[in-house]
């Protein structure tokens, strides 16, 4: 979406490679993703999106106009503080645990259902009046919000009540080349 050149370096999360001294020197949080641009190192996915868009001057993906940028920033902050933690519970319970030979804990999912549906309703309401989160064109806000739900079927996200959110994800995000070329598939494999 941004139009920035990039090279992917895979870090095997399930083997704990993000905790290696080499990777810790890039990201002291031992978390993914990270960006290295010559000697500049940046971590936090939304900061990476902002940096990439600004570096290549993509003002459609990350507008410069104050109110439009504030709207995008709102969704970036909301994603990292609120949306990601909720989606992550479904990802861990329905994807990660089974991959590691552990069992899904239905109590964890039941406890999260109310919160998830409240948050999904916020997105659904916004997307009822807008093709993308911040207007008629995709921005880095769409990438950020879609990322934690990218395995929505496998993670069994309870999306049934949120038709606008489902439309946005399955028709407006997942069918775009910028999503298809970089998505991670079930089993956490790149295409």
């Amino acid at each position: 979406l941004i139009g920035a050149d990039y090279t992917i370096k895979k870090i095997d999360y399930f083997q704990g490679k993000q905790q290696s001294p080499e990777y810790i020197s890039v990201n002291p949080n031992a978390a993914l993703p990270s960006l290295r641009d010559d000697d500049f190192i940046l971590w936090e996915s939304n900061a990476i999106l902002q940096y990439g868009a600004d570096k290549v001057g993509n003002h459609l993906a990350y507008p410069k106009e104050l109110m439009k940028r504030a709207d995008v920033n709102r969704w970036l902050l909301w994603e990292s503080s609120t949306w990601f933690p909720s989606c992550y519970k479904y990802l861990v319970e329905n994807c990660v645990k089974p991959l590691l030979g552990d069992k899904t804990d239905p109590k964890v999912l039941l406890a999260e259902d109310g919160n998830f549906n409240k948050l999904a309703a916020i997105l659904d309401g916004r997307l009822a009046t807008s093709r993308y989160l911040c207007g008629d064109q995709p921005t880095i806000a769409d990438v950020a919000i879609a990322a934690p739900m990218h395995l929505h079927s496998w993670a069994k996200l309870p999306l049934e009540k949120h038709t606008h959110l489902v439309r946005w994800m399955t028709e407006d995000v997942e069918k775009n080349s910028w999503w298809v070329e970089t998505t991670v598939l079930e089993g956490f494999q790149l295409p």
Side-chain angles (χ1 to χ4, degrees):
L1 174 66
I2 293 170
D5 290 330
Y6 63 92
T7 302
I8 293 175
K9 181 177 181 182
K10 296 178 185 178
I11 305 294
D12 192 332
Y13 186 82
F14 291 106
Q15 296 297 316
K17 299 297 182 183
Q18 76 281 8
Q19 296 174 7
S20 71
E22 176 190 8
Y23 190 76
I24 294 286
S25 71
V26 173
N27 187 335
N29 296 301
L32 303 169
S34 297
L35 171 134
R36 182 187 304 266
D37 185 12
D38 296 323
D39 292 333
F40 180 63
I41 294 173
L42 186 63
W43 26 270
E44 290 301 322
S45 57
N46 294 339
I48 292 168
L49 290 171
Q50 292 169 314
Y51 175 80
D54 277 342
K55 180 170 181 170
V56 300
N58 188 331
H59 305 305
L60 290 175
Y62 193 40
K64 285 281 191 190
E65 194 270 314
L66 182 62
M67 288 183 193
K68 289 180 181 179
R69 182 166 276 213
D71 191 27
V72 170
N73 288 341
R74 167 209 346 238
W75 292 109
L76 296 177
L77 293 166
W78 185 80
E79 181 276 331
S80 64
S81 67
T82 308
W83 183 240
F84 174 83
S86 185
C87 291
Y88 189 69
K89 289 181 181 169
Y90 295 88
L91 183 73
V92 167
E93 292 300 325
N94 291 323
C95 303
V96 175
K97 280 185 173 182
L99 274 177
L100 296 176
D102 202 353
K103 292 183 180 177
T104 299
D105 185 345
K107 289 183 225 162
V108 171
L109 298 175
L110 185 61
E112 187 58 29
D113 275 352
N115 183 52
F116 179 87
N117 280 295
K118 177 188 85 165
L119 300 174
I122 292 169
L123 290 168
D124 200 61
R126 178 64 174 252
L127 292 164
T129 61
S130 180
R131 180 172 179 196
Y132 292 98
L133 285 168
C134 299
D136 293 331
Q137 298 295 318
T139 67
I140 62 174
D142 295 284
V143 174
I145 296 295
M149 60 181 293
H150 73 286
L151 295 170
H152 54 89
S153 294
W154 193 28
K156 300 176 186 166
L157 294 178
L159 295 170
E160 305 79 34
K161 301 175 194 170
H162 312 290
T163 57
H164 303 292
L165 178 55
V166 171
R167 181 258 321 146
W168 167 81
M169 187 67 184
T170 61
E171 296 175 24
D172 297 321
V173 173
E174 290 179 339
K175 291 185 179 176
N176 270 294
S177 62
W178 49 265
W179 184 264
V180 171
E181 293 169 11
T182 58
T183 195
V184 175
L185 307 171
E186 287 189 22
F188 301 100
Q189 300 296 315
L190 291 169

